[in-house]
Amino acid sequence: QHHLPPQVWTNSINKANKLALLAWAKETGVDLVQVNGQRRYGGPPPGWVGGPPPAGTEVFIGKLPQDMYENALIPLFQSVGKLYEFRLMMTFSGLNRGFAYAKYSNRRGAREAIAAFNNFQLREGCAIVVCKSTEKCELSVDGLAASVSRRELEATLRRVTEGVLSVALYASPCQKQAQLAVLKYSSHQAAAMAKKSLMEGNTQLGGAEARVDWLHPDLKQKLQPREEKPWSSRAQGGKHPGVPTPPPLPAVPCDALERLNALCRRQHLGPPLFLTKCVQENPGGWLQFWCRVVIPGCPVPFRGFTWVRPKGPGRSAHEEAKAAVALQVLRMLGES
């Protein structure tokens, strides 16, 4: 890691704004630390007492002008709440990569930032996107030897990383005779640091080809414990071997779609776009859908599977799937 380099860094692209940033950092005493393609303020800021803020306090900031820096951005985002941390993603040339993350001391600060700055014009014709950050806290490690035990792996991880909450082992869906581990960490920052040290370090995790990555939602869905049993051969009529009974689902409120649309309007995120595809049907009349929801103001689409059962002629199975996935997206966005 290195602190703001003075001369070399200012001699290239966007010189005036870089000099203005250096002058501002010197005048305010703000310490900016650059690590792995991102420049960070705080985490914690000066005078902070106690642990980091809870989940739901970070916002994603997109569509930033690439020649703009913290001297313009930090005061703006600090105007609605106390910042715990501000991270600006950087290119080698010293321009920003068009996006940043602001973590507030509480959830109210994050909500205020979204309300105040989503679609805010930083410059004429330059509206930024501000929405809730999807703070990933889970990693997958694929390719572990079949002999590795959960206790042994957890002991190793606690020694070389910080903030491990849980470790679960599964048969690897991609490699024969291998295991896949799902690691849950106390925060996105802890998970990101663990990912970096596990990928770069010489930690022996019990597999020469063990691959570390963020836990993908599709993989998480595949790994959900299947407590349900296959249908009996009599119910299958010999045609559907091994089709699982879907788990009992909570009733989906009819207004889930309307609530999601209202939330997107309220936070100026743009209307949600749904893609639903039926991937499986079982003899009991249940249908499994793969769903993708794109919300223009959110940096990544929401993806996942859901089971539905059509409730008669009034509403199609696709409408039922949309309502079920809308409820999941509402929960991810922090709406109960």
Side-chain angles (χ1 to χ4, degrees):
Q1 72 179 44
H2 57 279
H3 293 258
L4 270 179
Q7 288 79 28
V8 178
W9 186 72
T10 58
N11 288 340
S12 56
I13 301 165
N14 199 26
K15 185 175 177 181
N17 285 9
K18 288 175 180 174
L19 287 171
L21 171 65
L22 289 167
W24 172 80
K26 188 176 178 182
E27 185 186 328
T28 56
V30 165
D31 192 21
L32 299 174
V33 180
Q34 188 150 335
V35 189
N36 301 327
Q38 57 176 282
R39 200 162 55 216
R40 194 179 77 229
Y41 156 75
W48 181 268
V49 178
T57 52
E58 187 174 83
V59 298
F60 167 85
I61 305 155
K63 298 191 178 175
L64 286 171
Q66 285 194 270
D67 61 350
M68 193 171 268
Y69 299 125
E70 292 89 341
N71 53 319
L73 298 170
I74 287 178
L76 179 70
F77 282 89
Q78 238 167 2
S79 68
V80 293
K82 182 172 172 58
L83 279 178
Y84 173 78
E85 183 180 67
F86 189 90
R87 295 182 290 129
L88 185 63
M89 306 300 130
M90 302 299 296
T91 68
F92 286 116
S93 67
L95 292 172
N96 78 60
R97 285 169 59 199
F99 67 102
Y101 295 89
K103 188 185 259 297
Y104 285 87
S105 60
N106 54 40
R107 292 190 180 108
R108 183 180 173 179
R111 287 198 301 270
E112 296 282 347
I114 292 167
F117 300 129
N118 188 47
N119 286 330
F120 178 79
Q121 295 232 357
L122 276 180
R123 288 182 190 151
E124 187 67 35
C126 178
I128 58 172
V129 166
V130 181
C131 62
K132 200 165 181 180
S133 166
T134 50
E135 300 176 57
K136 298 177 190 169
C137 298
E138 291 176 301
L139 302 175
S140 67
V141 184
D142 200 359
L144 295 169
S147 57
V148 174
S149 72
R150 193 186 68 78
R151 186 175 290 180
E152 182 188 345
L153 179 61
E154 192 169 342
T156 304
L157 290 166
R158 290 196 186 284
R159 201 172 62 248
V160 297
T161 69
E162 287 180 22
V164 183
L165 289 183
S166 67
V167 177
L169 280 174
Y170 303 86
S172 169
C174 305
Q175 301 184 41
K176 285 183 180 176
Q177 311 294 307
Q179 296 187 97
L180 179 139
V182 172
L183 321 177
K184 189 165 188 174
Y185 282 84
S186 57
S187 69
H188 174 70
Q189 188 72 17
M193 295 306 289
K195 179 175 180 281
K196 181 176 181 291
S197 57
L198 292 173
M199 285 174 78
E200 292 179 0
N202 299 314
T203 311
Q204 290 303 311
L205 287 175
E209 297 299 317
R211 275 201 330 275
V212 182
D213 207 346
W214 292 110
L215 178 60
H216 197 274
D218 292 353
L219 176 59
K220 188 173 183 175
Q221 186 73 32
K222 279 183 196 167
L223 298 174
Q224 292 301 321
R226 285 201 173 90
E227 293 166 353
E228 60 269 10
K229 302 281 186 290
W231 286 71
S232 71
S233 55
R234 192 177 55 170
Q236 291 165 15
K239 289 181 186 172
H240 299 271
V243 176
T245 306
L249 293 172
V252 175
C254 300
D255 66 345
L257 271 171
E258 286 88 336
R259 277 167 52 201
L260 180 59
N261 277 309
L263 175 73
C264 290
R265 276 198 304 275
R266 210 163 57 240
Q267 296 192 357
H268 309 290
L269 298 175
L273 307 168
F274 290 82
L275 173 67
T276 56
K277 185 179 178 184
C278 186
V279 292
Q280 192 177 167
E281 181 176 358
N282 74 22
W286 287 88
L287 304 171
Q288 190 183 37
F289 279 82
W290 178 84
C291 305
R292 187 168 186 260
V293 186
V294 178
I295 297 175
C298 287
V300 288
F302 299 90
R303 284 183 286 244
F305 293 86
T306 189
W307 285 96
V308 298
R309 198 174 194 169
K311 292 194 176 99
R315 189 151 92 165
S316 73
H318 282 271
E319 288 301 309
E320 293 288 343
K322 279 187 193 177
V325 81
L327 193 63
Q328 291 175 28
V329 173
L330 280 165
R331 287 190 188 122
M332 286 179 194
L333 292 171
E335 295 285 308
S336 58

